[in-house]
Amino acid sequence: MPPGIDPPAHPMSSERGDEASRSWAVPAAIASPGSRTVAPRTWLILGDKAGDNAQVRIIADALGWPHELKALVFRAPYVLGKPRFRTSLYHIDQARSAPLEPPWPDLVLTVGRRPSMAALWVKEQTRGGAALVVVGRPKRWLDRFDLVIAPPQFQVPHRANVLRLDLPLMRVDEAAIATAARAWHGRFADLPRPLTALLVGGPTKPYRFDQAVARRLLEEARRAAAAERGSFYVTTSRRTPATVAETLAAELPAGARLYRWRDGGDNPYHALLGLADRFIVTGDSISMMVEVARLGRPLAIFALPEEGRSLRLRSALGRRLAALEDSGSRPLLGLLSDALHRL
């Protein structure tokens, strides 16, 4: 592991894991395997975020049951925009998505705001007969999900159906990295070593990522690499604002290369995981940080500035209210905790 990074705990460990396993009432659809003659019909309802989808696939692989992949394509306003959270398919391009139709599943695994809206709709069609498992933080209706698997970047109220993780459900796709490294080896041949991969994410509450932050990122990257000659390869993501990508393009270090996600084309991400000598990752994506850290190569994390104290105070208050509720002293505080976590 890189210096300063402790070996990861088992990703499924949880401070409340034992309580969740005792308290979560397993739906009949996925009761003990010994009580079933066949595996439950399992759907994976996924969207367009590769990192999110990978976490659901890890769970499905661990279960070992056959499953059907239901890949969703979203209507143009909701490819980057956020639809109002409701039990509905209004945000989905149904003609281009996998069909959501009978026979209905016994178990649904999903992740993220947009796919989970469709998953709730599917559960509604089964009249509650399907068990619904979501990775992440539901925007609303925590009690409508049978199990909420909460990676550490999400603040979720303590509930019997919530399983908190110490690390994201991430694994290194060694085959994909090796394939990309072979395909891109010639394209990287003329880049001076050491090659630094600068992996750029985007703004997410409570973090700010604008043009000023982009300039500071490049300035600090240059300063970090000043002692050694080498080169940069900068990649953006689906969440990188167009203005940030334009700033990066205009102020790239000499000899650096830039991949802009919005422009399409071959994405060098997996090739960089295989071929870069060191990494700088923006601190908005814990999944990306963990994926790089597990490579065992030098990693620097660029911390994004927070929007303001109000979000930090609100988060701290939400955690405090949840702790008071857990003590059993004031059940009403649970409602306030839920409201704060939804903001």
Side-chain angles (χ1 to χ4, degrees), residues 17 42 58-59 62 107 114-115 125 142 149 160 185 230 253 256 288 293 343:
T42 303
I58 288 173
I59 297 173
L107 171 64
R114 296 167 300 163
Q125 308 315 301
L142 193 70
I149 300 176
H185 187 270
M288 191 160 58
L343 294 177

Side-chain angles (χ1 to χ4, degrees), residues 28-194:
I30 54 171
S32 171
S35 66
R36 301 184 58 94
T37 57
V38 296
R41 182 184 297 275
T42 303
W43 285 8
L44 276 54
I45 298 182
L46 304 180
D48 53 6
K49 295 183 178 181
D52 283 356
N53 295 346
Q55 298 188 65
V56 176
R57 291 178 184 274
I58 288 173
I59 297 173
D61 291 346
L63 288 172
W65 294 326
H67 56 263
E68 300 175 49
L69 174 59
K70 299 293 185 178
L72 304 181
V73 177
F74 302 106
R75 294 173 51 210
Y78 308 116
V79 172
L80 296 177
K82 293 182 178 181
R84 181 180 177 185
F85 194 84
R86 61 179 68 171
T87 301
S88 175
L89 303 181
Y90 80 95
H91 59 305
I92 292 173
D93 185 337
Q94 297 188 47
R96 300 169 59 201
S97 298
L100 303 177
E101 58 189 22
W104 299 114
D106 302 309
L107 171 64
V108 177
L109 307 177
T110 193
V111 61
R113 180 193 191 104
R114 296 167 300 163
S116 65
M117 290 167 59
L120 284 166
W121 180 88
V122 169
K123 181 170 183 174
E124 189 174 79
Q125 308 315 301
T126 71
R127 299 183 180 180
L132 178 52
V133 177
V134 64
V135 178
R137 178 186 61 191
K139 185 64 177 177
R140 300 171 63 190
W141 306 322
L142 193 70
D143 59 333
R144 298 191 187 182
F145 297 87
D146 296 283
L147 180 63
V148 177
I149 300 176
Q153 68 267 36
F154 295 110
Q155 294 185 17
V156 181
H158 290 180
R159 295 289 184 275
N161 63 331
V162 172
L163 176 65
R164 297 172 178 272
L165 306 185
D166 295 325
L167 287 173
L169 287 165
M170 294 297 298
R171 60 186 173 192
V172 175
D173 191 338
E174 296 180 356
I177 292 173
T179 298
R182 289 192 297 270
W184 284 74
H185 187 270
R187 304 191 215 185
F188 288 1
D190 61 336
L191 292 173
R193 296 284 176 164

Side-chain angles (χ1 to χ4, degrees), residues 19 52 96 108 176 201 209 282 297 304:
E19 177 183 338
D52 283 356
R96 300 169 59 201
V108 177
F209 200 167
T282 56
R297 276 171 265 162
L304 298 179

